[in-house]
Amino acid sequence: MHLRIFLSKSSVLTPSNQPPISLPMTAADSGLEPLDPAYVADVLSRPPFVQIPGVCNVRDLGSYPTATPDVVTKPGFAYRSAELSSITEEGARKMASLGILTVFDLRSDPEMKKYSSPIPTIEDVEVIPTPVFKSEDYSPEKLAKRFELYATGTTEAFMILYSQILEHGGPAFGTILRHVRDKPNSPFIFHCTAGKDRTGIIAAILLKLAGVDNHFISQDYSLTRVGREPDRAKVLERLSKEPLFAANSEAAMRMLTSRYETMRAFFNLLEEKFGGVETYVKTYTGLTDEDLQTIRSNLVVPTKSRM
């Protein structure tokens, strides 16, 4: 039996008038213990989660409230997930039914080779490699340093890592943002390996540009705690091959924590070190104020137009 403790602040506002999703209280839930399978199945069956067979941690970034009254993020446009390498034929059909014809893969070649998780071939879908890190960033030394930070599971360590993602991710994030600017009627999905850190940061940037409150963005980030659970065994098996994690499964699980407070700290980092989301995007992607205005417009719809 698994003890679950809930806080009202962790009830996620879900689209389509669905009841809120309650997440385990972050102070009591370290992310190390398995979640109740029935609870996981229930959460994954409801928005914002989307079921694509063979793909873990899929969510629609639509239907979140924005700072503009009666305006929400556009449903069925921007999706986030973990890697697509194991997508099934049924999953490919589900992607087609969602209208997703473009995939942005934030992983690097050495990462895909290391985990034997290549870019899949999906009929009529364009998969665009958009690596956040260059191949040289996967040297044994640099990878060991990143793993050491992840293994601590502390907010401070994640801020060091997230700062690195922001510093390296401009070209990749710019590619995704230009898609939003230029193809507002073309649904897309973006992912890294677990769909947590690199994916979580570009998701936060998109939602922030759309005018979503930090509270809801942090809740979206924390949903990965549930979204990654079906892949728990696979992730632990992969990490067990790393010397740092071979005899320390708790350190491996700390690497995968996705606490509400971590994303709140990220917004402080984004503001204090990078000047806020708009300054960051203009500086690191080369987009203009006019581009940002178009992107913002393309990310939202009035509530009366929701299906």
Side-chain angles (χ1 to χ4, degrees):
M1 174 177 286
H2 302 288
L3 177 65
R4 291 187 280 120
I5 307 174
F6 304 114
L7 279 183
S8 59
K9 83 166 187 178
S10 292
S11 293
V12 178
L13 182 64
T14 57
S16 305
N17 297 316
Q18 294 287 328
I21 294 172
S22 294
L23 293 178
M25 185 172 69
T26 53
D29 174 48
S30 65
L32 304 181
E33 295 299 321
L35 294 174
D36 181 347
Y39 165 71
V40 171
D42 176 59
V43 171
L44 296 184
S45 72
R46 294 189 273 135
F49 284 99
V50 177
Q51 299 301 308
I52 297 181
V55 185
C56 187
N57 201 18
V58 186
R59 303 202 288 281
D60 184 347
L61 293 183
S63 298
Y64 281 103
T66 71
T68 304
D70 300 319
V71 171
V72 297
T73 52
K74 185 191 299 183
F77 179 50
Y79 296 87
R80 57 175 295 174
S81 73
E83 64 188 28
L84 269 61
S85 302
S86 298
I87 190 170
T88 65
E89 290 186 7
E90 184 184 357
R93 289 193 293 271
K94 180 59 180 287
M95 279 185 60
S97 74
L98 294 170
I100 298 172
L101 298 177
T102 306
V103 174
F104 296 100
D105 191 333
L106 300 168
R107 301 173 301 162
S108 301
D109 285 339
E111 181 180 5
M112 288 183 265
K113 292 176 182 177
K114 185 181 185 70
Y115 298 130
S116 299
S117 56
I119 293 175
T121 299
I122 307 171
E123 186 176 359
D124 297 325
V125 173
E126 181 182 17
V127 181
I128 302 175
T130 46
V132 167
F133 293 109
K134 297 178 180 178
S135 294
E136 52 264 34
D137 294 317
Y138 283 84
S139 68
E141 296 78 16
K142 290 183 178 180
L143 198 57
K145 288 181 180 179
R146 283 210 296 275
F147 278 156
E148 286 174 6
L149 286 168
Y150 275 123
T152 69
T154 66
T155 299
E156 294 76 14
F158 275 109
M159 290 311 99
I160 295 172
L161 293 159
Y162 287 5
S163 182
Q164 293 173 359
I165 291 173
L166 286 171
E167 289 165 353
H168 289 82
F173 299 158
T175 299
I176 295 172
L177 291 168
R178 285 176 174 85
H179 177 93
V180 175
R181 180 193 66 186
D182 299 336
K183 299 181 179 181
N185 298 312
S186 179
F188 65 99
I189 191 167
F190 54 93
H191 71 90
C192 50
T193 294
K196 181 175 82 75
D197 301 309
R198 288 161 292 182
T199 297
I201 287 178
I202 182 57
I205 289 171
L206 288 166
L207 293 172
K208 188 74 172 171
L209 289 174
V212 177
D213 186 81
N214 292 352
H215 171 62
F216 294 118
I217 301 173
S218 300
Q219 288 182 323
D220 172 73
Y221 171 83
S222 70
L223 283 174
T224 288
R225 170 69 176 101
V226 182
R228 67 164 170 77
E229 195 71 4
D231 271 1
R232 181 186 182 93
K234 181 175 76 173
V235 171
L236 284 175
E237 192 274 332
R238 280 181 178 178
L239 291 176
S240 69
K241 298 176 182 177
E242 302 294 339
L244 178 63
F245 302 123
N248 191 345
S249 61
E250 285 195 4
M253 293 312 301
R254 281 196 293 270
M255 176 177 173
L256 293 172
T257 57
S258 52
R259 296 185 298 270
Y260 175 97
E261 290 79 4
T262 302
M263 183 51 65
R264 294 302 298 235
F266 168 75
F267 288 122
N268 291 334
L269 170 73
L270 184 62
E271 192 68 35
E272 294 169 5
K273 185 174 180 178
F274 296 91
V277 67
E278 292 190 3
T279 297
Y280 168 77
V281 169
K282 288 188 290 184
T283 301
Y284 283 82
T285 72
L287 291 165
T288 66
D289 286 320
E290 183 179 1
D291 291 327
L292 294 183
Q293 185 175 353
T294 301
I295 288 167
R296 183 175 295 107
S297 177
N298 290 345
L299 283 169
V300 300
V301 293
T303 53
K304 63 182 180 182
S305 74
R306 295 167 67 190
M307 297 299 291

